[in-house]
Every structure is written in structure tokens, then in C-alpha cells.
Amino acid sequence: MPERRATATASPNIAFIKYWGNRDPALRLPANASLSMTLSNLQTNTTVLFDDRLEADQIEIDGSPASDKAASRVTKHLDLIRTLSGNPTFANIHSLSNFPAGAGIASSASAFAALTAAASKAAGLELDKKQLSILARRGSGSAARSIFGGFVQLFSGEVNTDGYAEQLAPAEHWHLVNLIAVVTKEHKSIGSSEGHMLAPTSSIQAIRVQDTARRLEICKKAIMQKDFQTLAQIVELDSNLMHSVMMTSDPPILYLEPESISVMKHVTRWREDGLAVCYTIDAGPNVHCICSLEDSPEVERQLRSIDGILDIYRCSPGNGVALAVTNEQSPQ
Ligand code: DP6
């Protein structure tokens, strides 16, 4: 087989209605449906080159050889693609993100969305977005959503083929701003994959999962009607519910740092004072401050006055995964 190469770019997403826990860990079928906004400005760019001369996958992430843990996750994902394409060739993978991994800015979402699109294209598979979403989910649950841009829903799915995401509204629908208050750039100690396994040990998880359809409907309606106040309340409730599950699992997981709590308290006060802003936090301490475009300069100014914020990333609704280079054959 000749060398086959493709490059894809994908962005992370922030979940407004979050999933936590998998009903089927092997297939990464989430315990509950979720809803997210794909983020502009933050990106992972991944090139995959299948090469007959390789005796194993060679994986470089952010300029260094991948750790054993990351490499085995990538290889496992490539194995799915090798099985689908019927070709066992190993690959050279280069992945570069412009934001820190593992700090609650869904790096696995952009990484596996980009990897899925690039590897399937390089392997000669012609997959539509639904198929890409199903396949990306096998690598990382939230990656299923990063296949699409704008506002996106991921169905929980009973079987592999119905665990996919679809777009609810394009990025242009509502110009929200996500100001990510970065309080640490360190890799979290407990990754989402381990956290998902612990979710069922919390007595709150079943109640959270059972009530998800209601929260998701409220959130969806708020997005379609551009109703910020309703969005703010449901987004904060959903984030607090997920962190309650994390904190009450066995062993407990506490992702929040003192600075995270400080930002949360400021955000709710600013909203009481009339600013259109709310918070949501993924599996890490960094706080995503969702705000209206009009109020975003003031929110950013106020965020800068809080101690312990190392950086602020500004994102808007962004685009789904895109292939930068279609199948090309390298010179022999
Ligand atoms: C808290 O998709 O990161 O961000 O499949 O193990 O990669 P893996 O999990 P991941 O879990 C996402 C958890 C979350 C909530 C969400 O994005 O819905």
C-alpha cells in the first residue's frame, strides 16, 4: 500500500448539559445525553500517515513522543479504523494543540475528533459526519460532539450506532462568548476516563441521570430562543450536579480549586448585578464563563482583577472538524 496521509483540525467543546459516567465503558456510550458549544480559537491539528515500513504506530503529541497511556489509547482507536478499512498498516501521527491538555478544556474532544477525521480519511474510508461522530465517541465521548460546529447534542444511545451527535444550531445562531479562566495549566491527576468509572459509586448519579432529559430540553429551548437567564440557571445547575457526583463518588474527586470557587462566586454576583454571565466547569479546575457578546468586555475586565487567574482564553461558537488535506500520496 502506498503511504497515505491526511490532516484534520478540530476544536474542543464546552458542555452546557454534561455527561458523566458511561452506560457501556467499552463502547463509551454515555450514561446520559449531553449538549455543548464547540469552541473557536482553540484547536488540535493532527496528521496521520499510514506507512507500510512502520512496525508500530509512532505518535507525537505537542512535540514529544506520546506517553505510554496516551499512545495505547491512540493505537486502540487506530485499530478500530484499521479494522474498518481492512488494512493493518501502522501510522505516524503528529498532533499539536494550541492549549494545555488535561486541565478541563476538553483536549480529548478535539484530539479524538481530529484523529478520527484524519485517520479515517488517510485509511481511505469515506465517512459522513454521523459515522465520524460515532467513531470519534469510541476514542473520547465528548469528541463525538466536536465533529460538529455551533450548538450540538449527543444522544446517549442504546447501541454503538445510535450514540452520535448532531448539530442543533450553527455557530452563527448566537454569538455567546466563553471566557475560560485558567487557574492551572497542570495535567489533572484523575482523568475523565477514570472519573466516568467512579460515577456509579455516587448515590447522586442515578438522580442526575434520570433528570437529564428535562434539563436538556430547558437548555435546548433557551439556546433556540436566545434566552440567557434560563440558559444561565440550567448551565450552572448542571455543572453543580456533575461536580456533586464527582465529590460524592468513592473515592471522591474534587476538581475545584479555591480559585475556581472564587470565580464561581464572582460570576453569580456579577449576574445579580445585571451582567449576562454564568459559569460551567468540566473535569478540571478551570472555569468557563459563558457570557453575552455585549457583556464580555466587562466580564473579562472583572475576571482580570481576581487573584490566581493565570490566563483567560476567549472563545466563541466555533466550527466542526475539518480536513486540511485530502488523501495525498507521498513521493516514494
Ligand atoms: C466533564 O469525553 O473527556 O467534560 O471519553 O474519557 O475522554 P473520555 O471522557 P470525556 O468526558 C467528558 C466529561 C465532561 C462533561 C462533558 O463534556 O459532557
Side-chain angles (χ1 to χ4, degrees):
M1 174 181 148
E3 292 177 346
R4 307 189 80 161
R5 180 202 311 257
T7 298
T9 301
S11 293
N13 61 77
I14 178 66
F16 289 169
I17 301 297
K18 300 175 189 299
Y19 91 89
W20 192 243
N22 282 314
R23 76 169 67 197
D24 184 332
L27 288 174
R28 282 183 202 272
L29 279 170
N32 61 279
S34 55
L35 195 165
S36 61
M37 180 174 96
T38 304
L39 302 175
S40 68
N41 297 338
L42 306 180
Q43 281 186 339
T44 301
N45 189 277
T46 301
T47 298
V48 176
L49 166 66
F50 285 102
D51 185 342
D52 278 342
R53 294 165 294 193
L54 293 174
E55 290 178 359
D57 291 324
Q58 293 190 347
I59 305 159
E60 188 191 280
I61 300 177
D62 294 332
S64 309
S67 66
D68 289 350
K69 196 174 164 190
S72 77
R73 197 166 163 185
V74 169
T75 288
K76 205 171 153 203
H77 198 58
L78 288 172
D79 285 344
L80 287 175
I81 290 162
R82 283 187 271 258
T83 303
L84 282 175
S85 68
N87 194 311
T89 308
F90 291 111
N92 213 303
I93 296 109
H94 285 264
S95 182
L96 195 62
S97 296
N98 66 354
F99 62 99
I105 311 176
S107 53
S108 64
S110 53
F112 279 95
L115 178 68
T116 303
S120 57
K121 186 71 182 169
L125 296 169
E126 291 295 338
L127 304 181
D128 62 22
K129 287 212 159 181
K130 179 176 167 183
Q131 292 168 316
L132 279 177
S133 179
I134 292 167
L135 193 51
R137 192 204 74 233
R138 304 283 300 272
S140 170
S142 53
R145 300 187 306 241
S146 277
I147 297 299
F148 297 92
F151 301 87
V152 181
Q153 174 173 355
L154 170 60
F155 301 103
S156 51
E158 295 283 334
V159 292
N160 180 43
T161 47
D162 59 13
Y164 60 91
E166 68 181 24
Q167 188 183 63
L168 293 174
E172 318 76 74
H173 168 69
W174 195 6
H175 200 137
L176 291 173
V177 173
N178 179 14
L179 296 170
I180 308 173
V182 179
V183 302
T184 174
K185 295 188 181 179
E186 276 164 36
H187 212 284
K188 60 197 173 201
S189 53
I190 302 180
S192 310
S193 302
E194 293 142 271
H196 288 304
M197 308 277 270
L198 295 177
T201 65
S202 164
S203 54
I204 299 173
Q205 170 72 348
I207 303 163
R208 188 193 70 85
V209 169
Q210 204 179 26
D211 182 53
T212 303
R214 183 189 70 87
R215 295 193 308 281
L216 200 135
E217 274 315 303
I218 293 172
C219 187
K220 205 193 277 190
K221 207 165 151 198
I223 289 169
M224 297 325 286
Q225 298 180 346
K226 302 182 196 172
D227 172 354
F228 192 88
Q229 290 307 321
T230 304
L231 180 80
Q233 278 169 22
I234 204 71
V235 165
E236 289 187 356
L237 170 68
D238 192 85
S239 176
N240 291 343
L241 272 171
M242 183 185 72
H243 284 272
S244 302
V245 169
M246 292 162 164
M247 284 188 256
T248 52
S249 64
D250 182 15
I253 320 173
L254 182 57
Y255 285 117
L256 307 178
E257 293 292 337
E259 295 81 5
S260 325
I261 308 273
S262 171
V263 176
M264 290 161 76
K265 287 190 163 225
H266 278 90
V267 164
T268 43
R269 201 170 317 136
W270 297 335
R271 192 160 76 256
E272 279 161 24
D273 292 345
L275 288 178
V277 58
C278 66
Y279 65 77
T280 183
I281 306 176
D282 276 349
N286 297 326
V287 187
H288 297 249
C289 302
I290 312 297
C291 48
S292 67
L293 179 63
E294 306 80 66
D295 287 349
S296 61
E298 180 59 15
V299 172
E300 188 165 351
R301 197 183 67 77
Q302 303 248 24
L303 276 173
R304 292 201 184 277
S305 69
I306 300 177
D307 283 343
I309 297 184
L310 306 177
D311 215 341
I312 298 173
Y313 298 143
R314 186 187 172 93
C315 312
S316 301
N319 298 322
V321 73
L323 279 168
V325 181
T326 49
N327 256 6
E328 67 180 33
Q329 290 190 4
S330 326
Q332 296 296 303

